[in-house]
Amino acid sequence: MGLRKKNVLPGFGLSLGYTVFYLSLVVLIPFAALFSRTAQMSFMEFWDTISSPRVVASFWLSLYTSLSAASLNAVMGLLVAWVLVRYHFPLKTLVDALVDLPFALPTAVAGISLTTLYSVNGPLGKHLARWGIEVAYTPLGIIVALTFIGLPFVVRTLQPVLEDLDVEIEEAAASLGASRMKSLLYVVFPNLLPALLTGFALSFARAFGEYGSVVFISGNMPMRTEICPLLIMTKLEQFDYIGATAIAVVMLLVSFMMLFTINLLGWWSRKRTSSAA
Amino acid sequence: MSIEVRNVTKQFGEFTALRDVSLTVPAGELVALLGPSGSGKTTLLRIIAGLETADSGAILFHGEDTTDQKLRDRKVGFVFQHYALFRHMTVFENVAFGLRVRPRRDRPGKQEIRDRVMKLLNLVQLQSLAHRYPSELSGGQRQRVALARALAVEPRVLLLDEPFGALDAKVRKELRRWLRRLHDEIHITSVFVTHDQEEALEVADRVAVMNEGRVEQEGTPEEVYHSPRTPFILNFLGNVNLFHGRMENGRAYIGNSSLELPAAAFQDNQTATVFIRPHLLDIHHQPTESGNFPAHVAHINAAGPLVRVELVSEWGDPVEVEISQDRYRFLALKENDKVFVTPKEMKVFVEDYVI
């Protein structure tokens, strides 16, 4: 009797091979090119490029606006998903479709319309200006644009999880004497946390790399409202290819670390809530 | 703590789930709400719990109207069919939940919570699994966690919605006997919903049979089984053969045969429905005096404690008979034998009148 190796559901070798090939082609090779290009610089050159005040400022700006936008989306997106899943109201399908709009709209269009709305003379900015709040051409404007483009990620990752969430566990919590607030906090929220983290990570990643909509609303003032992707663009326009790739490499590493950490957190909290109970 | 349901009506859109239902659950008893799906039993249970609101009528706990009480102030323990355990919490945390969410002034201390939870886990025989997550437990264990969790808040009444519905047959049997013993120990007024007549008859002190939003009969398991008040209950509580016939001279005529009735309380020429349980029919090779009808044997299933014989009556209706193994050997029945079927006992329903 020889060794018999046979799978009832074949295709593992083929599909894994294809996955590796495809990922290499689409993701790994461009990244490798990026790194090899950067490797042409000496470390001092590299350090000088990425530690110049303008780069550092743009870097922090990108990071904190993206994080703010992702946090805002996590909260508001949770609310939107909750309302869409739990309640029935007229034109619900229309509202549901609206959520995807930021996916479909060219980002430049989004940027231009947001700028028009929020500039000091715009229909919304006019009123905000009276309170001393300026949106367009400030970091706040960048956050507005990034929130807009990141919303679908949170809503769409949370929706299926919310739909699967049994209303019975809330009824159980209430019958055990928990107030609505405690039941949401201790029973519902922990079940949503993994999906919420994923949505947050996606929304952050999208915002961190966003270019199209931000360039219109930010005003692109160096040191103040110049985001990292724009700085890369600027370097390219000045034929400073190596400088551009150096910044890109740092962005890449930061994004990767952020996503990795968030996924790790998600994996950890998912492990605790996994499999049906 | 007794429960009184007073003229409760509930409608979901066009569908009437409960029609003017009244029911009393005496303190300390275990009552089953038994009925087919859609009979309103779960709705009634959820209204008692406060998970739904009745359109009209009232629920009284120990004479006190709970209609305006919030769910969390009613102090009911509710056990859900699919357990509804908090899956991100361990068994211990699940059971402790009801104590930990109390407002600070009513909350027991850490050590007291620990002691009470461990005592309950002891009661449901799960003390060794306190630090497992629900996903690591079997169905029967999960249901016992759900029960311990419900009992942790010291509820005034315990309500269970199809508590064994999601379990396999063997575990179900063990768990319902266990529930019976547990109830004998703690004597909390309990109501449980089931569609399984065997379960209701075995476990409950009293059974309320529900059909189409009404309680059709309420009584001890013996009462509802032996003196069913309606054809529905007779049909629902176990297998039964059904014959359509007519009354004449104190005998029931079915097809061309006449059967002797238990009492001659019928007017002549009334149409009647005769119900006879399979174990209350006997088979003979020769006609007997007390009344019988001819049939032929279609199929015999001798596997099991009783032999189930499927016959076809003279007029073409299927008839199911259960006889003992001894009787089966004595008769030496074979398929296609021509035999005579004799009822030992029957129930006759004429309009609204019952014997």
Side-chain angles (χ1 to χ4, degrees):
Chain A
M1 219 170 80
L3 272 179
R4 217 181 287 176
K5 225 177 154 189
K6 207 166 151 195
N7 200 329
V8 191
L9 304 170
F12 172 72
L14 187 67
S15 51
L16 182 73
Y18 178 74
T19 307
V20 171
F21 171 73
Y22 183 79
L23 275 179
S24 310
L25 203 67
V26 173
V27 183
L28 281 179
I29 293 177
F31 281 4
L34 198 67
F35 278 98
S36 73
R37 204 66 197 262
T38 318
Q40 292 171 12
M41 307 169 94
S42 71
F43 183 75
M44 278 317 285
E45 281 176 300
F46 176 73
W47 183 251
D48 281 346
T49 311
I50 64 163
S51 65
S52 80
R54 189 171 163 193
V55 174
V56 172
S58 80
F59 181 70
W60 284 122
L61 179 74
S62 270
L63 197 64
Y64 92 77
T65 50
S66 304
L67 282 176
S68 319
S71 315
L72 207 61
N73 273 332
V75 177
M76 299 316 283
L78 172 60
L79 205 64
V80 172
W82 182 271
V83 169
L84 284 177
V85 171
R86 281 297 168 88
Y87 304 112
H88 292 277
F89 49 90
L91 300 179
K92 180 172 158 172
T93 22
L94 194 74
V95 177
D96 199 46
L98 272 179
V99 171
D100 283 331
L101 218 56
F103 274 145
L105 205 63
T107 48
V109 177
I112 293 166
S113 29
L114 286 174
T115 314
T116 319
L117 278 173
Y118 285 105
S119 70
V120 186
N121 304 316
L124 283 173
K126 191 162 63 182
H127 300 287
L128 289 170
R130 226 179 286 159
W131 298 83
I133 303 169
E134 279 183 53
V135 179
Y137 315 123
T138 66
L140 189 59
I142 302 175
I143 294 174
V144 169
L146 295 181
T147 309
F148 176 80
I149 53 134
L151 180 72
F153 292 95
V154 176
V155 178
R156 292 294 180 235
T157 43
L158 275 172
Q159 249 174 336
V161 180
L162 269 172
E163 270 158 15
D164 280 350
L165 197 68
D166 214 335
V167 183
E168 278 190 356
I169 62 165
E170 286 166 67
E171 290 178 344
S175 78
L176 291 168
S179 64
R180 187 70 185 138
M181 206 54 220
K182 279 184 174 162
S183 139
L184 286 177
L185 208 61
Y186 299 136
V187 173
V188 177
F189 188 70
N191 282 294
L192 298 181
L193 194 61
L196 195 63
L197 280 171
T198 307
F200 176 83
L202 288 173
S203 173
F204 165 78
R206 175 80 169 86
F208 198 54
E210 172 64 6
Y211 172 78
S213 59
V214 180
V215 289
F216 292 100
I217 201 166
S218 70
N220 309 324
M221 285 164 279
M223 305 302 292
R224 279 202 52 219
T225 57
E226 189 179 45
I227 56 164
C228 237
L230 179 75
L231 199 58
I232 295 174
M233 210 46 208
T234 317
K235 294 246 182 231
L236 288 176
E237 276 165 1
Q238 296 161 352
F239 304 105
D240 181 6
Y241 294 134
I242 295 203
T245 51
I247 302 173
V249 162
V250 177
M251 276 192 80
L252 193 68
L253 289 176
V254 169
S255 315
F256 184 76
M257 270 161 54
M258 289 286 300
L259 287 176
F260 188 72
T261 317
I262 294 169
N263 280 336
L264 215 61
L265 276 176
W267 171 80
W268 171 77
S269 65
R270 189 168 287 127
K271 208 181 73 167
R272 302 191 49 193
T273 60
S274 65
S275 63
Chain B
M1 188 77 52
S2 64
I3 306 169
E4 197 186 333
V5 178
R6 215 180 260 174
N7 307 99
V8 164
T9 297
K10 176 76 181 176
Q11 214 146 358
F12 293 108
E14 293 289 289
F15 177 72
T16 308
L18 295 173
R19 300 163 206 262
D20 195 29
V21 170
S22 295
L23 180 71
T24 305
V25 179
E29 299 225 323
L30 177 58
V31 173
L33 295 178
L34 174 66
S37 56
S39 59
K41 54 194 193 304
T42 294
T43 307
L44 181 58
L45 192 78
R46 289 173 62 86
I47 288 175
I48 296 174
L51 291 166
E52 308 268 359
T53 322
D55 296 337
S56 65
I59 306 289
L60 287 79
F61 285 177
H62 200 60
E64 172 198 350
D65 194 343
T66 62
T67 311
D68 297 323
Q69 268 182 354
K70 273 195 202 145
L71 173 60
R72 59 191 171 103
D73 299 326
R74 286 196 185 196
K75 298 202 80 175
V76 294
F78 200 96
V79 177
F80 293 84
Q81 181 180 2
H82 299 287
Y83 328 124
L85 293 178
F86 309 133
R87 53 190 182 184
H88 60 288
M89 297 183 195
T90 61
V91 168
F92 181 92
E93 289 166 331
N94 262 285
V95 179
F97 182 84
L99 300 171
R100 285 180 173 166
V101 294
R102 285 195 185 165
R104 186 154 297 150
R105 63 195 140 76
D106 308 327
R107 200 183 307 159
K110 265 206 168 75
Q111 189 55 45
E112 200 195 327
I113 291 181
R114 233 196 96 75
D115 291 346
R116 273 168 69 174
V117 171
M118 288 320 283
K119 215 175 112 194
L120 278 164
L121 287 179
N122 225 358
L123 187 72
V124 299
Q125 298 152 13
L126 286 173
Q127 60 276 39
S128 59
L129 303 178
H131 297 288
R132 297 268 188 95
Y133 284 95
S135 57
E136 299 165 321
L137 303 182
S138 71
Q141 291 169 334
R142 287 180 201 178
Q143 193 57 288
R144 281 184 279 155
V145 175
L147 192 62
R149 183 179 69 176
L151 291 173
V153 293
E154 294 176 332
R156 297 189 288 178
V157 299
L158 182 64
L159 308 172
L160 308 102
D161 182 11
E162 298 264 3
F164 316 119
L167 303 169
D168 59 63
K170 202 163 154 48
V171 180
R172 194 142 105 192
K173 251 188 170 149
E174 278 168 26
L175 207 57
R176 74 190 188 211
R177 294 209 176 120
W178 175 81
L179 176 71
R180 181 66 247 184
R181 284 199 304 274
L182 183 80
H183 187 265
D184 291 340
E185 243 173 83
I186 58 177
H187 277 298
I188 178 173
T189 310
S190 311
V191 181
F192 78 100
V193 157
T194 180
H195 63 266
D196 181 344
Q197 37 96 11
E198 207 184 307
E199 193 170 292
L201 297 178
E202 184 181 318
V203 177
D205 293 317
R206 302 182 72 78
V207 178
V209 188
M210 294 190 68
N211 183 32
E212 291 179 347
R214 287 194 192 86
V215 173
E216 292 220 345
Q217 188 173 356
E218 195 269 334
T220 65
E222 289 79 6
E223 275 166 19
V224 291
Y225 186 77
H226 291 299
S227 326
R229 210 176 289 151
T230 63
F232 166 80
I233 296 174
L234 189 76
N235 235 324
F236 192 67
L237 298 181
N239 285 338
V240 73
N241 292 297
L242 182 155
F243 307 99
H244 292 287
R246 289 164 30 73
M247 296 298 133
E248 253 164 58
N249 303 325
R251 292 175 80 84
Y253 284 83
I254 302 165
N256 294 322
S257 314
S258 75
L259 304 174
E260 200 170 291
L261 285 174
F266 292 105
Q267 292 169 10
D268 283 355
N269 290 323
Q270 269 180 318
T271 56
T273 315
V274 178
F275 293 88
I276 309 172
R277 294 210 185 274
H279 67 275
L280 295 174
L281 283 170
D282 199 2
I283 295 172
H284 297 271
H285 285 300
Q286 300 301 323
T288 52
E289 272 178 29
S290 60
N292 52 66
F293 57 86
H296 71 269
V297 178
H299 183 74
I300 301 171
N301 178 8
L306 290 172
V307 179
R308 291 184 44 195
V309 186
E310 285 167 35
L311 304 112
V312 177
S313 68
E314 191 189 38
W315 57 91
D317 277 351
V319 181
E320 199 185 315
V321 178
E322 282 173 8
I323 53 175
S324 69
Q325 295 279 0
D326 284 349
R327 178 89 187 139
Y328 169 62
R329 271 192 295 276
F330 173 76
L331 288 169
L333 283 180
K334 290 185 304 295
E335 280 180 24
N336 291 321
D337 276 1
K338 297 250 181 272
V339 294
F340 295 88
V341 180
T342 316
K344 294 182 246 180
E345 207 183 304
M346 58 186 143
K347 285 265 179 299
V348 182
F349 288 88
V350 185
E351 306 291 312
D352 287 313
Y353 192 85
V354 191
I355 290 189

